[in-house]
Amino acid sequence: MECLTDIACEVGESVDRLLGYVHIANNPINFDCPQSYQDEEEGGAFDGHASSFPKDFGYGAFDGEHDVNLSSSGEQKPRILLMGLRRSGKSSIQKVVFHKMSPNETLFLESTNKIVKDDINNSSFVQFQIWDFPGQIDFFDSSFDSDMIFGGCGALVFVIDAQDDYMEALNKLNLTVTKAYKVNPNIKFEVFIHKVDGLGDDFKMESQRDIHQRATDDLADSGYDQIHLSFHLTSIYDHSIFEAFSKVVQKLIPQLPALENLLNILNTNSAIEKSFLFDVVSKIYIATDSTPVDMQSYELCCDMIDVVIDVSWIYGVKEEQDPAAFDEQSSSLIKLNNGTVLYLREVNKFLALVCILREDNFDHKGIIDYNFLCFREAIQQVFELRNKCQGNPLTNSAGSPIVNGNNIIGDRHISPTLTDELASK
Ligand SMILES: Nc1nc2c(ncn2[C@@H]2O[C@H](COP(=O)(O)OP(=O)(O)OP(=O)(O)O)[C@@H](O)[C@H]2O)c(=O)[nH]1
């Protein structure tokens, strides 16, 4: 608990600075205070020297042949299980979201015949394992160790092929969810109604309604109406799969409420309409402010990340010593023809902040940049706090909760009101 207090204090200081800036922002006399000019120079508008991304910028090689072997992995990260019938699209989702495979290439993927484990751990906040299960897995097989498999699971993603008859999938969903829940009631159950690219809008909504209804009725019939299922319409051919995975991953980030609070404060004080904190490699957003997400904004921000990566990669200056070119000077500004500005700033090696704001409000770029620096510092402090907890037996070296047996034993949360509490200290 002491450790959390430290975190709170440190995050609180940065929040105080952000809050303090409201004052400056509202007061034009202070607008040209030396500090903001200095920060503006430091913070760096795009300087024309965007360096390249290293070729291996990513999560590393996909360990397709890696069998599940818990005993060999020293620490256990929260797990996301991908389950569903054969050919429902599980491996495609994993490859497209986390390994930059193009959707068309998934046509040539072979059927998975054993559990495939993939470590996603390069980004500081996004630390977990994905286990891709073969479609034909049999829960009643003696070799299926459900205690081990579901025990340390953070989220179970069940993929249903919406282009196919889904009755069999619904039976399997019911069987899977009830079995998993008996072992570990803390699992977040996420249902991806997948391959919706082939469906018309009406049919899409009707399928979702029908699947939702049947799945929840089946659970109630089996006496498990307390289980909550979240439904997402997904396709690897558009951004919906990234959006859905963002929501899955966010539920596994204990620091989420603190991040959301920081984004809200940043938006309020900088006249930003929407901001996303992106994991640059996967383009999943690990946090956003509390205003609703509309798909178009999310897609615009994803496209911006692609543009920045591509331009940096093609035209960037390659430095032999430090090939990692997405550095603290990385930023980008795109003005759209509808009076809106997209603004991207690097937060750390793997995270970027992408904001949408009105062009008029971007006149105060100095303030926005200053507020961004405070925001970045606060995020940094969240990391540091987490690292301070390293010695804490309830968290692993990344600060992620350690999962053990049937329960998540290290699920420590920064309280949603933490930043408020701290700011008031
Ligand atoms: N139209 C469409 N096809 C998809 C989508 N996602 C996956 N597919 C296709 O579905 C087929 C099966 O995909 P896989 O990823 O191999 O399915 P799987 O669930 O891993 O299959 P198993 O390993 O046999 O369990 C492939 O041909 C993919 O191209 C999607 O969003 N839309």
Side-chain angles (χ1 to χ4, degrees), residues 40-58:
E40 193 171 353
E41 277 165 25
E42 257 178 40
F46 193 67
D47 61 7
H49 290 284
S51 318
S52 317
F53 281 75
K55 266 203 177 107
D56 56 354
F57 189 73

Side-chain angles (χ1 to χ4, degrees), residues 87-92 106-107 111-112 135 194-195 197 235-236:
R87 312 300 290 160
S88 54
K90 303 177 290 297
S91 311
S92 309
T106 64
L107 289 167
S111 208
T112 316
H194 192 52
K195 305 193 189 178
D197 47 279
S235 163
I236 53 169

